[in-house]
Amino acid sequence: EYSARNIRVLEGLEAVRKRPGMYIGGTGLAGLHHLVWEIVDNSIDEALAGHASTIHVNMHDDGSVSVLDDGRGIPTDIHEQTGKSALEVILTVLHSGGKFDKNSYKYSGGLHGVGISVVNALSEWLEVTVWRDGSVFQQSFKRGVAVSEMTVSEGADRTGTKIRFKPDAEIFESIEFSFDILSKRLRELAFLNKGIKLSLTD
Ligand code: 28G
């Protein structure tokens, strides 16, 4: 069962990397920015659930983008049968996000939420940090594959989730994010979701 599961994870990754357009619409500028919206949507969902109030988006000088929220943090508990953390499962297992599942209300005119695992699959690297239960949890991935175990260290004085990723130049026509595209959409999201603080730093 363990190897069957791992094969399915790798098949999911391969499907996303072979036909990225099916998941994010395309590999041009819109598709590239879709990666950010996918992550920000997760933070907004956590805020709409009443557990987060602030979302920071940061454009780093290495071409990566990070999103930080002050929610509960993605769950990190270890699943008994698989030995994998909920965090790793959320970041590596492709979820259908199909037309008929419970997330279908999320987008009226665009693509349905496909989940962080799609962003992970299309990133050269991705790092996640979770502050939860007084601890800091971290894990790293390359092109969607975990390259470290989840590490745990003591001393978190907050809760929340941070995801930092660098889009994969093998996938996208350009991997340069646009401050104008990001700021325009984040302003719209701030308008649509009053009470949530959104910030963008270049
Ligand atoms: C910073 C970048 C993107 C997120 C959360 C918090 C929870 C969560 C996210 O749970 C799994 C499935 C349904 C409950 C939920 C934490 C409940 C309790 C969460 C994010 C578990 C997902 N504690 N914050 N996911 N659910 N922020 N930001 O991704 O049953 S994703």
Side-chain angles (χ1 to χ4, degrees):
E1 273 182 52
Y2 177 85
S3 40
R5 250 188 316 268
N6 276 313
I7 288 165
R8 279 199 296 277
V9 166
L10 294 174
E11 282 172 349
L13 275 180
E14 192 185 286
V16 174
R17 292 179 59 84
K18 226 181 234 168
R19 291 190 184 74
M22 296 273 288
Y23 300 86
I24 55 160
T27 55
L29 213 51
L32 178 73
H33 289 78
H34 196 92
L35 300 179
V36 180
W37 310 136
E38 204 54 60
I39 306 284
V40 167
D41 266 355
N42 265 30
S43 294
I44 289 184
D45 282 349
E46 182 66 356
L48 293 177
H51 299 285
S53 64
T54 308
I55 304 166
H56 292 295
V57 180
N58 198 353
M59 303 166 71
H60 298 271
D61 55 16
D62 62 0
S64 66
V65 162
S66 61
V67 179
L68 168 67
D69 71 45
D70 60 353
R72 291 167 290 183
I74 298 176
T76 53
D77 51 288
I78 309 286
H79 189 260
E80 274 189 23
Q81 300 207 329
T82 62
K84 291 202 189 270
S85 67
L87 181 65
E88 181 169 338
V89 170
I90 286 170
L91 280 149
T92 57
V93 178
L94 196 54
H95 294 87
S96 66
K99 239 190 209 180
F100 303 107
D101 80 6
K102 62 183 189 297
N103 282 322
S104 54
Y105 68 89
K106 267 173 69 176
Y107 300 95
S108 50
L111 289 160
H112 298 282
V114 289
I116 305 183
S117 63
V118 167
V119 178
N120 199 10
L122 300 176
S123 295
E124 181 193 325
W125 55 261
L126 181 148
E127 292 169 356
V128 61
T129 308
V130 169
W131 296 266
R132 199 180 155 89
D133 304 325
S135 296
V136 188
F137 302 84
Q138 288 183 294
Q139 195 167 16
S140 304
F141 304 83
K142 281 195 165 39
R143 301 194 161 96
V145 179
V147 292
S148 72
E149 298 277 304
M150 182 180 75
T151 63
V152 190
S153 52
E154 309 261 276
D157 55 357
R158 55 163 296 161
T159 64
T161 303
K162 180 165 85 176
I163 291 175
R164 179 169 173 175
F165 69 96
K166 174 120 189 257
D168 193 345
E170 290 176 2
I171 302 283
F172 294 97
E173 288 155 36
S174 159
I175 56 166
E176 200 179 322
F177 287 104
S178 154
F179 183 88
D180 287 350
I181 292 173
L182 292 176
S183 63
K184 179 169 178 278
R185 180 62 184 156
L186 288 170
R187 281 185 194 282
E188 289 171 358
L189 289 171
F191 173 81
L192 291 168
N193 299 284
K194 295 198 194 307
I196 304 177
K197 178 174 172 171
L198 289 145
S199 82
L200 174 63
T201 307
D202 184 348

